[in-house]
Amino acid sequence: MQDLFDQADVGAAAFVLSLREKGIRSTPVLRAMEQVGRDLFAPHKFRDLSRADVALPLPCGQTMTGPTTVALMLVALGLEEGQRVLEVGTGSGYVTALLARMGGQVTSVERHLSLAASAHERLKNVGGGPGAMLEVGDGLVARPRGTLYERILLNGALHAIPQSMTDLLPNGGRLVGAFSKDGFPRLVTVERQADGALRQELGGSLRLSPLVNAQPVFA
């Protein structure tokens, strides 16, 4: 049994080392990705690929984003412990678990009920439940007036960031997602400045699927 734990530790260390070799230097991000096993969230038949830098297919035609892309987005997010986070696109629940492990108070929205249910069970199994609340719905629609999030993560590429999302940012708040530009998703960061103005910055290209703005699928 000890040998199995040792192998898991070696695998996690190698996984983090591979991320460092790709330029990921954020200690909170690397620590969370070492502590939260991606294999626990990957579909069973693809579990042997969980530590490879590839996206994995999920049910409902969705995708589990590759770890380097996840890490780049989390670094750009700059999450601080105790901040309120809105995550759009729960998927497997892996990124939700990372956000919770980094100390975020996470509200994650998934439009597929079956994916949300599976993510909920996985989050319970890894102890990521206390810092995360899951909802089923269209995460891009406007939320109740006065609702604000210091950090917003959009797990997919859009042609434009909807105002329904930027309206949720307080001064100092930050949104991270991706723009589909000329067919290639690029990292985008939107920050609300101290005077209330929005500042947008485009980063490098990402391997990220489109984020669908559609009605919830209760199946």
Side-chain angles (χ1 to χ4, degrees), residues 87 89-90 107-120 133-141 143 214-219:
E87 179 193 23
T90 309
T107 297
S108 186
V109 188
E110 171 57 53
R111 71 187 189 95
H112 292 277
L113 176 60
S114 56
L115 280 182
S118 296
H120 177 70
M133 179 176 67
L134 269 57
E135 298 179 1
V136 178
D138 182 350
L140 296 176
V141 300
R143 297 184 73 81
Q215 292 299 311
V217 181
F218 294 102

Side-chain angles (χ1 to χ4, degrees), residues 25 37 56 74 86 110 112 120 124-126 141 194 202 206:
R25 294 289 183 265
L56 300 175
L74 291 178
L86 175 65
E110 171 57 53
H112 292 277
H120 177 70
K124 285 199 306 183
N125 290 337
V126 300
V141 300
L202 275 178
L206 295 175

Side-chain angles (χ1 to χ4, degrees), residues 81-104:
E81 189 168 358
Q83 288 183 325
R84 297 187 66 201
V85 185
L86 175 65
E87 179 193 23
V88 179
T90 309
S92 69
Y94 175 59
V95 178
T96 315
L98 293 173
L99 292 167
R101 186 59 61 95
M102 292 170 66

Side-chain angles (χ1 to χ4, degrees), residues 158-159 161 177-181 184-190 199-205:
L158 296 165
H159 292 291
I161 303 298
F179 272 154
S180 290
K181 194 171 181 65
F184 298 97
R186 291 182 61 185
L187 181 72
V188 61
T189 303
V190 180
R199 178 178 176 271
Q200 178 180 297
E201 181 178 341
L202 275 178
S205 60

Side-chain angles (χ1 to χ4, degrees), residues 3-147:
D3 289 343
L4 290 177
F5 283 118
D6 291 343
Q7 290 171 15
D9 291 343
V10 169
F15 180 64
V16 169
L17 180 60
S18 71
L19 292 171
R20 289 184 60 86
E21 290 172 346
K22 292 180 173 70
I24 307 301
R25 294 289 183 265
S26 168
T27 298
V29 171
L30 291 172
R31 183 184 299 119
M33 296 186 79
E34 181 177 20
Q35 294 174 344
V36 178
R38 190 172 184 244
D39 57 307
L40 301 177
F41 292 85
H44 183 73
K45 63 181 178 180
F46 299 113
R47 199 156 289 177
D48 60 329
L49 297 173
S50 61
R51 289 196 172 106
D53 194 18
V54 294
L56 300 175
L58 294 173
C60 308
Q62 303 304 295
T63 303
M64 188 177 186
T65 304
T68 296
T69 296
V70 169
L72 288 170
M73 296 181 76
L74 291 178
V75 169
L77 194 65
L79 176 62
E80 297 178 11
E81 189 168 358
Q83 288 183 325
R84 297 187 66 201
V85 185
L86 175 65
E87 179 193 23
V88 179
T90 309
S92 69
Y94 175 59
V95 178
T96 315
L98 293 173
L99 292 167
R101 186 59 61 95
M102 292 170 66
Q105 297 300 310
V106 189
T107 297
S108 186
V109 188
E110 171 57 53
R111 71 187 189 95
H112 292 277
L113 176 60
S114 56
L115 280 182
S118 296
H120 177 70
E121 290 304 312
R122 292 187 178 107
L123 286 164
K124 285 199 306 183
N125 290 337
V126 300
M133 179 176 67
L134 269 57
E135 298 179 1
V136 178
D138 182 350
L140 296 176
V141 300
R143 297 184 73 81
R145 187 177 181 86
T147 303

